Coordinates of all heavy atoms in Angstrom, one line a residue:
S123 N -0.1 -1.4 -28.3 CA 0.3 0.0 -28.6 C -0.7 0.9 -27.9 O -0.4 2.1 -27.7 CB 0.4 0.3 -30.0 OG -0.9 0.0 -30.7
Y124 N -1.9 0.4 -27.6 CA -3.0 1.3 -27.0 C -4.0 0.4 -26.3 O -4.4 -0.7 -26.9 CB -3.7 2.1 -28.1 CG -4.8 2.9 -27.6 CD1 -4.6 4.1 -26.9 CD2 -6.1 2.5 -27.8 CE1 -5.7 4.9 -26.5 CE2 -7.2 3.3 -27.4 CZ -7.0 4.5 -26.7 OH -8.0 5.2 -26.2
V125 N -4.5 0.8 -25.2 CA -5.6 0.2 -24.5 C -6.7 1.2 -24.2 O -6.4 2.2 -23.4 CB -5.2 -0.6 -23.2 CG1 -6.3 -1.2 -22.5 CG2 -4.1 -1.6 -23.5
P126 N -7.9 1.1 -24.7 CA -8.9 2.1 -24.4 C -9.4 2.0 -22.9 O -9.1 1.0 -22.3 CB -10.0 1.8 -25.4 CG -9.9 0.3 -25.6 CD -8.4 0.1 -25.5
P127 N -10.2 2.9 -22.4 CA -10.8 2.8 -21.1 C -11.6 1.5 -21.0 O -12.2 1.1 -22.0 CB -11.7 4.0 -21.0 CG -11.2 5.0 -22.0 CD -10.6 4.2 -23.1
G128 N -11.6 0.9 -19.8 CA -12.3 -0.3 -19.7 C -11.6 -1.3 -18.8 O -10.5 -1.0 -18.2
P129 N -12.2 -2.5 -18.6 CA -11.6 -3.5 -17.7 C -10.2 -4.0 -18.0 O -9.5 -4.5 -17.1 CB -12.6 -4.6 -17.7 CG -13.4 -4.5 -18.9 CD -13.4 -3.0 -19.3
E130 N -9.8 -3.9 -19.2 CA -8.4 -4.4 -19.5 C -7.4 -3.3 -19.4 O -6.2 -3.5 -19.5 CB -8.4 -4.9 -21.0 CG -9.3 -6.1 -21.2 CD -9.0 -7.2 -20.3 OE1 -7.9 -7.6 -20.2 OE2 -10.0 -7.8 -19.7
N131 N -7.8 -2.1 -19.1 CA -6.9 -0.9 -19.0 C -6.0 -1.0 -17.7 O -6.6 -1.1 -16.6 CB -7.7 0.4 -19.0 CG -6.8 1.6 -19.1 OD1 -5.9 1.8 -18.4 ND2 -7.2 2.4 -20.0
P132 N -4.7 -0.9 -17.8 CA -3.9 -1.0 -16.6 C -4.0 0.2 -15.7 O -3.5 0.1 -14.5 CB -2.4 -1.2 -17.2 CG -2.5 -0.9 -18.6 CD -3.9 -0.9 -19.1
L133 N -4.6 1.3 -16.1 CA -4.7 2.4 -15.3 C -6.0 2.4 -14.4 O -6.3 3.3 -13.7 CB -4.7 3.7 -16.1 CG -3.4 4.0 -16.8 CD1 -3.5 5.4 -17.6 CD2 -2.2 4.0 -15.9
G134 N -6.8 1.3 -14.6 CA -8.0 1.2 -13.8 C -9.0 2.2 -14.2 O -9.1 2.6 -15.4
I135 N -9.9 2.7 -13.3 CA -11.0 3.5 -13.7 C -10.8 5.0 -13.5 O -11.7 5.8 -13.9 CB -12.3 3.0 -13.0 CG1 -12.1 3.0 -11.5 CG2 -12.6 1.6 -13.4 CD1 -13.4 2.6 -10.7
R136 N -9.7 5.5 -12.8 CA -9.4 6.9 -12.7 C -7.9 7.0 -12.7 O -7.2 6.1 -12.3 CB -9.9 7.5 -11.4 CG -11.4 7.4 -11.1 CD -12.2 8.4 -11.9 NE -13.6 8.4 -11.6 CZ -14.5 7.6 -12.0 NH1 -14.1 6.6 -12.9 NH2 -15.7 7.7 -11.7
A137 N -7.4 8.2 -13.1 CA -6.0 8.5 -13.1 C -5.8 10.0 -12.9 O -6.6 10.8 -13.3 CB -5.3 8.1 -14.4
M138 N -4.8 10.3 -12.1 CA -4.4 11.7 -11.9 C -3.0 11.9 -12.4 O -2.0 11.2 -11.9 CB -4.5 12.0 -10.4 CG -5.9 11.9 -9.9 SD -6.1 12.4 -8.1 CE -5.1 11.2 -7.3
H139 N -2.8 12.8 -13.3 CA -1.5 13.0 -14.0 C -0.7 13.9 -13.1 O -1.2 14.9 -12.6 CB -1.7 13.7 -15.3 CG -2.4 12.8 -16.3 ND1 -2.0 12.5 -17.6 CD2 -3.6 12.1 -16.2 CE1 -2.8 11.7 -18.2 NE2 -3.8 11.4 -17.4
L140 N 0.6 13.6 -13.0 CA 1.6 14.5 -12.3 C 2.3 15.3 -13.3 O 2.2 15.1 -14.5 CB 2.6 13.6 -11.5 CG 1.9 12.5 -10.6 CD1 3.0 11.6 -9.9 CD2 1.1 13.3 -9.5
T141 N 3.1 16.3 -12.8 CA 3.9 17.2 -13.7 C 4.9 16.4 -14.4 O 5.4 16.9 -15.5 CB 4.5 18.3 -12.9 OG1 5.4 17.8 -11.9 CG2 3.5 19.3 -12.3
W142 N 5.3 15.2 -13.9 CA 6.4 14.4 -14.6 C 5.7 13.7 -15.7 O 4.7 12.9 -15.5 CB 7.0 13.5 -13.7 CG 7.6 14.1 -12.4 CD1 8.3 15.3 -12.3 CD2 7.7 13.5 -11.1 NE1 8.7 15.5 -11.1 CE2 8.3 14.4 -10.3 CE3 7.2 12.3 -10.6 CZ2 8.6 14.2 -8.9 CZ3 7.4 12.1 -9.2 CH2 8.1 13.0 -8.4
Q143 N 6.2 13.7 -16.9 CA 5.7 13.0 -18.1 C 5.6 11.5 -17.8 O 6.5 10.9 -17.2 CB 6.5 13.3 -19.3 CG 5.9 12.7 -20.6 CD 6.7 13.0 -21.8 OE1 7.9 13.3 -21.7 NE2 6.1 12.9 -23.0
Y144 N 4.5 10.9 -18.1 CA 4.2 9.5 -18.0 C 3.8 9.0 -16.6 O 3.5 7.9 -16.4 CB 5.3 8.6 -18.5 CG 5.7 8.9 -19.9 CD1 7.0 9.2 -20.3 CD2 4.8 8.8 -21.0 CE1 7.4 9.4 -21.6 CE2 5.1 9.1 -22.3 CZ 6.4 9.3 -22.6 OH 6.8 9.6 -23.9
Y145 N 4.0 9.9 -15.6 CA 3.8 9.4 -14.2 C 2.3 9.7 -13.8 O 1.9 10.8 -14.0 CB 4.8 10.1 -13.2 CG 6.1 9.4 -13.3 CD1 7.0 9.9 -14.3 CD2 6.5 8.4 -12.5 CE1 8.3 9.3 -14.4 CE2 7.8 7.8 -12.6 CZ 8.7 8.3 -13.5 OH 9.9 7.7 -13.7
R146 N 1.7 8.7 -13.1 CA 0.3 8.9 -12.7 C 0.1 8.3 -11.3 O 0.9 7.4 -10.9 CB -0.6 8.1 -13.6 CG -0.4 8.3 -15.1 CD -1.1 9.5 -15.7 NE -1.0 9.6 -17.1 CZ 0.0 10.2 -17.7 NH1 1.0 10.8 -17.1 NH2 0.0 10.3 -19.1
I147 N -0.9 8.7 -10.7 CA -1.5 8.0 -9.5 C -2.8 7.5 -10.1 O -3.7 8.3 -10.5 CB -1.7 8.9 -8.3 CG1 -0.4 9.5 -7.8 CG2 -2.5 8.2 -7.2 CD1 -0.5 10.5 -6.7
H148 N -3.0 6.2 -10.1 CA -4.2 5.6 -10.8 C -4.7 4.4 -10.1 O -4.1 3.8 -9.2 CB -3.8 5.3 -12.3 CG -2.7 4.3 -12.4 ND1 -2.9 2.9 -12.3 CD2 -1.4 4.5 -12.6 CE1 -1.8 2.3 -12.4 NE2 -0.8 3.2 -12.6
G149 N -5.8 3.9 -10.6 CA -6.4 2.6 -10.1 C -5.8 1.5 -10.8 O -4.9 1.6 -11.6
T150 N -6.2 0.3 -10.5 CA -5.8 -0.9 -11.2 C -6.9 -2.0 -11.1 O -7.6 -2.1 -10.1 CB -4.5 -1.5 -10.6 OG1 -4.1 -2.7 -11.3 CG2 -4.7 -1.9 -9.1
N151 N -7.0 -2.7 -12.2 CA -8.0 -3.8 -12.3 C -7.4 -5.1 -11.8 O -8.0 -6.1 -11.6 CB -8.5 -3.9 -13.7 CG -9.3 -2.7 -14.2 OD1 -10.1 -2.3 -13.4 ND2 -9.0 -2.2 -15.3
D152 N -6.0 -5.1 -11.6 CA -5.3 -6.3 -11.1 C -5.0 -6.0 -9.6 O -4.0 -5.5 -9.3 CB -4.1 -6.5 -11.9 CG -3.4 -7.8 -11.6 OD1 -3.8 -8.4 -10.6 OD2 -2.4 -8.1 -12.3
T153 N -5.9 -6.5 -8.8 CA -5.7 -6.2 -7.3 C -4.5 -6.9 -6.7 O -4.1 -6.5 -5.6 CB -7.0 -6.6 -6.6 OG1 -7.2 -8.0 -6.8 CG2 -8.2 -5.8 -7.0
R154 N -3.9 -7.9 -7.4 CA -2.7 -8.6 -6.9 C -1.5 -7.6 -6.8 O -0.6 -7.9 -6.1 CB -2.4 -9.8 -7.8 CG -3.4 -10.8 -7.8 CD -3.2 -11.8 -8.9 NE -3.1 -11.2 -10.2 CZ -2.8 -11.7 -11.3 NH1 -2.3 -13.0 -11.3 NH2 -2.8 -11.1 -12.4
K155 N -1.6 -6.5 -7.6 CA -0.5 -5.6 -7.6 C -0.3 -4.7 -6.4 O 0.7 -4.3 -6.1 CB -0.6 -4.7 -8.9 CG -0.4 -5.5 -10.2 CD -0.4 -4.5 -11.3 CE 0.0 -5.2 -12.6 NZ 0.2 -4.3 -13.7
I156 N -1.4 -4.5 -5.7 CA -1.4 -3.6 -4.5 C -0.6 -4.2 -3.4 O -0.7 -5.4 -3.1 CB -2.8 -3.3 -4.0 CG1 -3.7 -2.7 -5.1 CG2 -2.8 -2.4 -2.8 CD1 -3.1 -1.4 -5.7
G157 N 0.3 -3.4 -2.9 CA 1.2 -3.9 -1.8 C 2.5 -4.5 -2.4 O 3.3 -5.0 -1.6
R158 N 2.7 -4.4 -3.7 CA 3.9 -5.0 -4.3 C 4.6 -4.0 -5.2 O 4.1 -3.0 -5.6 CB 3.4 -6.2 -5.2 CG 2.7 -7.3 -4.5 CD 2.2 -8.3 -5.5 NE 1.4 -9.3 -4.8 CZ 1.8 -10.5 -4.6 NH1 3.0 -10.9 -5.1 NH2 1.0 -11.4 -4.0
R159 N 5.9 -4.4 -5.5 CA 6.6 -3.7 -6.5 C 6.2 -4.3 -7.9 O 6.6 -5.3 -8.3 CB 8.1 -3.9 -6.3 CG 8.7 -3.3 -5.1 CD 10.2 -3.5 -5.0 NE 10.9 -2.5 -4.3 CZ 11.3 -1.3 -4.8 NH1 11.2 -1.1 -6.1 NH2 11.9 -0.4 -4.0
S160 N 5.3 -3.6 -8.5 CA 4.7 -4.1 -9.7 C 4.4 -3.1 -10.9 O 4.0 -3.5 -11.9 CB 3.4 -4.8 -9.3 OG 2.5 -3.9 -8.8
S161 N 4.7 -1.9 -10.7 CA 4.4 -0.9 -11.7 C 5.7 -0.5 -12.5 O 6.8 -0.8 -12.1 CB 3.7 0.3 -11.1 OG 4.7 1.2 -10.6
N162 N 5.4 0.2 -13.6 CA 6.5 0.7 -14.4 C 6.8 2.2 -14.0 O 7.4 2.9 -14.8 CB 6.1 0.6 -15.9 CG 6.3 -0.8 -16.4 OD1 7.4 -1.2 -16.6 ND2 5.2 -1.5 -16.6
G163 N 6.5 2.6 -12.9 CA 6.8 4.0 -12.4 C 5.7 4.7 -11.7 O 5.9 5.5 -10.9
C164 N 4.4 4.3 -12.0 CA 3.3 4.9 -11.4 C 3.0 4.4 -10.0 O 3.5 3.4 -9.6 CB 2.1 4.7 -12.3 SG 2.2 5.5 -13.9
I165 N 2.1 5.1 -9.3 CA 1.6 4.6 -8.0 C 0.1 4.1 -8.3 O -0.7 4.9 -8.8 CB 1.5 5.8 -7.0 CG1 3.0 6.4 -6.8 CG2 0.9 5.4 -5.7 CD1 4.0 5.4 -6.3
G166 N -0.1 2.9 -7.9 CA -1.5 2.3 -8.2 C -2.2 2.1 -6.9 O -1.6 1.8 -5.8
L167 N -3.5 2.2 -7.0 CA -4.4 2.0 -5.8 C -5.6 1.1 -6.3 O -5.8 0.9 -7.5 CB -5.1 3.3 -5.3 CG -4.2 4.3 -4.6 CD1 -3.6 5.3 -5.5 CD2 -5.0 5.0 -3.5
F168 N -6.3 0.5 -5.3 CA -7.5 -0.3 -5.7 C -8.4 0.7 -6.3 O -8.5 1.9 -6.0 CB -8.1 -0.8 -4.4 CG -7.4 -2.0 -3.7 CD1 -6.8 -1.8 -2.5 CD2 -7.2 -3.2 -4.3 CE1 -6.2 -2.8 -1.8 CE2 -6.6 -4.2 -3.7 CZ -6.0 -4.0 -2.5

Side-chain angles (χ1 to χ4, degrees):
S123 59
Y124 176 78
V125 179
E130 301 302 314
N131 189 310
L133 297 182
I135 57 177
R136 301 283 187 279
M138 298 185 298
H139 297 230
L140 305 175
T141 57
W142 305 324
Q143 186 178 20
Y144 304 126
Y145 286 85
R146 315 275 186 268
I147 298 171
H148 61 80
T150 181
N151 294 314
D152 186 353
T153 58
R154 297 169 299 171
K155 292 184 172 190
I156 303 302
R158 300 173 185 253
R159 289 182 156 274
S160 58
S161 82
N162 282 286
C164 295
I165 302 299
L167 288 92
F168 290 114

